[in-house]
Amino acid sequence: MNNFEFYSPTRILFGKGSMNKIHEHVPKIGKRVLLVYGKGSIKHNGIYDTVMRELSDCKVVELSGVEPNPKIESVKQGVKLCRKHQIEVVMAIGGGSSFDCAKAIAAATFYEGDAWDLVIGHAKVTKALPVVCVVTMSATGSEMNNVAVISNMETHQKIGLHDDLLCPVLSILDPENLYSVPPLQTAAGTADILSHLWEQFFTNVEDAYVQDGLAIGTMKACIHYGPIAIQEPTNYSARANLMWAAPMALNGLLKTGYSMAWSCHGMEHVLSAYYDITHGVGLAILTPRWMRYVLDEKTVSRFKKYGVEVWGLDASKDDYWIANKAIEKTETFLYETLGLPSCLQEVGIDDTKLEEMAKSCIRDKGGPIQGFKTLYEEDILQIFRNCL
């Protein structure tokens, strides 16, 4: 197991009725609030009204319309509002998109230059407003980590800004807030959580037994409860387990002691930067093709563990049989059980920009994707082609 440093300062209020505790916590953090959310579904399901009631003692300024892949323009708009109204806390309602936008706003408010400089690493985060998250969509785990992924459609870049100052100080996780999430979004969110687990689990590090157990258990929870949540949207146990799986998959706990490359995320970020597709859908299309591409004599043992421990395959079978069967079961789960698109053409992507995107992926990563198996430009291009 590798050496590691772990830091997770977020206070979590989890469970039924946790929304009613907002008024006990947020005013103590700050009374001038920037409320960040998406296109308005929270106004139809009652969540907006609940939050506004809980913030009755605060001055609230709103930034709505945050995109599914949050754009740098929304960040800049939020920064203007924070400065104009002397905002003390940024509160986001939604999922990873709203949370990531809020985090970037919180940091960029104290930076006098172009906010994009912070995202691409041309400037350092030195200070940030406190961020509060109200979860209405479980997927990215952004409610409990230090990452904000922001898109710039002009430069075709989707990049993660990392800094501990971005960690939310408080996140409210009420499973009942997920009851109105549509089936496709529930499926994409489940795929997103699983992708975070796969990216960390498929590592060359040996004897990280604790991390393996946590990853395997969380994968099995997603595989069990994802379909239930789709079929029974108001099933509290299903929503609760998925809601907790999301931050557990990406709050930094699982990556401790591992080494990883986030290969599929690097490729998906390019797809989203060019075509603005749903993140979880892109990951679902890419991951099984990546799995098949990297399977060889050096990686087969890890795939065997995945097949035996997650999918319950017979450990006495041939290693390659187990590995391929596990990948087949992964495909069946994503495309048939969850009903997600199975190829790039289903989401409007053809072969016209694949070479350009492969080059962009290497550019954004600063070179080959190194980790479980090193991927060069030609490898990434072939995986893209395999996804058509």
Side-chain angles (χ1 to χ4, degrees):
M1 190 193 306
N2 295 343
N3 294 350
F4 62 85
E5 180 177 329
F6 176 65
Y7 177 67
S8 184
T10 306
R11 181 186 297 275
I12 298 292
L13 301 181
F14 187 97
K16 188 182 301 184
S18 56
M19 293 285 287
N20 299 326
K21 298 180 180 179
I22 291 174
H23 73 277
E24 299 175 15
H25 294 269
V26 174
K28 295 176 183 178
I29 302 169
K31 288 198 170 184
R32 290 192 294 274
V33 180
L34 177 67
L35 197 64
V36 178
Y37 57 95
K39 295 182 179 180
S41 62
I42 60 170
K43 292 188 176 181
H44 302 300
N45 56 27
I47 294 173
Y48 174 86
D49 291 338
T50 299
V51 170
M52 292 302 291
R53 183 183 69 245
E54 291 289 308
L55 295 178
S56 60
D57 291 337
C58 300
K59 176 186 176 181
V60 179
V61 178
E62 298 185 30
L63 173 65
S64 62
V66 173
E67 308 86 353
N69 291 302
K71 309 299 187 292
I72 189 62
E73 290 78 11
S74 293
V75 174
K76 293 177 180 179
Q77 185 179 353
V79 168
K80 290 180 181 178
L81 292 173
C82 284
R83 292 173 178 170
K84 177 180 179 181
H85 298 281
Q86 297 181 305
I87 294 298
E88 296 174 324
V89 55
V90 184
M91 185 173 185
I93 310 175
S97 298
S98 294
F99 303 159
D100 287 4
C101 186
K103 291 177 182 180
I105 290 168
T109 295
F110 296 102
Y111 177 64
E112 294 302 322
D114 189 328
W116 187 243
D117 292 343
L118 295 172
V119 181
I120 61 178
H122 287 180
K124 297 290 186 182
V125 176
T126 59
K127 188 177 180 181
L129 290 166
V131 174
V132 174
C133 299
V134 176
V135 181
T136 66
M137 169 70 187
S138 289
T140 69
S142 186
E143 60 270 21
M144 200 179 177
N145 65 40
N146 66 353
V147 184
V149 179
I150 305 298
S151 296
N152 186 326
M153 302 309 288
E154 290 185 5
T155 61
H156 295 304
Q157 289 176 289
K158 180 179 177 180
I159 298 176
L161 168 62
H162 299 72
D163 196 282
D164 284 346
L165 290 171
L166 303 182
C167 291
V169 297
L170 173 69
S171 288
I172 294 91
L173 283 69
D174 186 334
E176 292 187 331
N177 283 350
L178 304 183
Y179 285 177
S180 60
V181 177
L184 181 59
Q185 285 185 302
T186 300
T190 301
D192 197 353
I193 300 168
L194 281 167
S195 178
H196 295 156
L197 297 164
W198 290 325
E199 296 269 39
Q200 295 170 97
F201 177 79
F202 286 103
T203 177
N204 296 318
V205 172
E206 300 291 339
D207 298 324
Y209 192 85
V210 173
Q211 293 90 322
D212 282 356
L214 290 170
I216 290 166
T218 311
M219 285 184 219
K220 292 171 77 172
C222 292
I223 291 167
H224 177 72
Y225 283 110
I228 295 175
I230 291 171
Q231 295 298 322
E232 305 172 31
T234 59
N235 185 303
Y236 185 86
S237 292
R239 294 298 194 181
N241 277 278
L242 290 174
M243 183 169 251
W244 190 228
M248 286 300 294
L250 204 60
N251 65 2
L253 182 61
L254 289 183
K255 74 176 183 181
T256 55
Y258 278 165
S259 61
M260 64 214 76
W262 295 94
S263 303
C264 292
H265 274 69
M267 291 185 284
E268 196 289 323
H269 283 179
V270 171
L271 293 180
S272 291
Y274 276 79
Y275 291 96
D276 204 21
I277 64 173
T278 301
H279 181 54
V281 171
L283 290 170
I285 294 170
L286 282 163
T287 301
R289 277 65 178 222
W290 170 83
M291 287 180 169
R292 292 195 183 280
Y293 192 84
V294 302
L295 175 60
D296 61 21
E297 68 276 5
K298 293 182 179 179
T299 63
V300 68
S301 62
R302 199 64 176 167
F303 279 102
K304 178 181 179 180
K305 186 177 183 71
Y306 171 61
V308 172
E309 299 291 341
V310 176
W311 293 107
L313 299 176
D314 186 350
S316 67
K317 296 281 189 178
D318 174 76
D319 288 1
Y320 276 95
W321 182 91
I322 295 172
N324 281 296
K325 192 68 174 178
I327 298 172
E328 179 183 317
K329 283 184 169 292
T330 302
E331 292 173 325
T332 299
F333 179 77
L334 292 171
Y335 308 141
E336 296 181 21
T337 305
L338 294 185
L340 290 166
S342 62
C343 65
L344 293 178
Q345 290 181 336
E346 288 186 58
V347 293
I349 300 176
D350 57 25
D351 63 354
T352 55
K353 296 182 179 179
L354 297 187
E355 293 183 9
E356 182 181 345
M357 290 192 297
K359 291 181 184 295
S360 295
C361 189
I362 294 296
R363 175 201 65 188
D364 293 345
K365 281 286 187 177
I369 301 176
Q370 301 185 39
F372 191 54
K373 185 172 182 178
T374 301
L375 300 178
Y376 297 91
E377 183 181 322
E378 57 270 24
D379 300 308
I380 295 168
L381 177 58
Q382 187 57 55
I383 292 172
F384 282 157
R385 287 172 173 163
N386 293 345
C387 292
L388 289 172

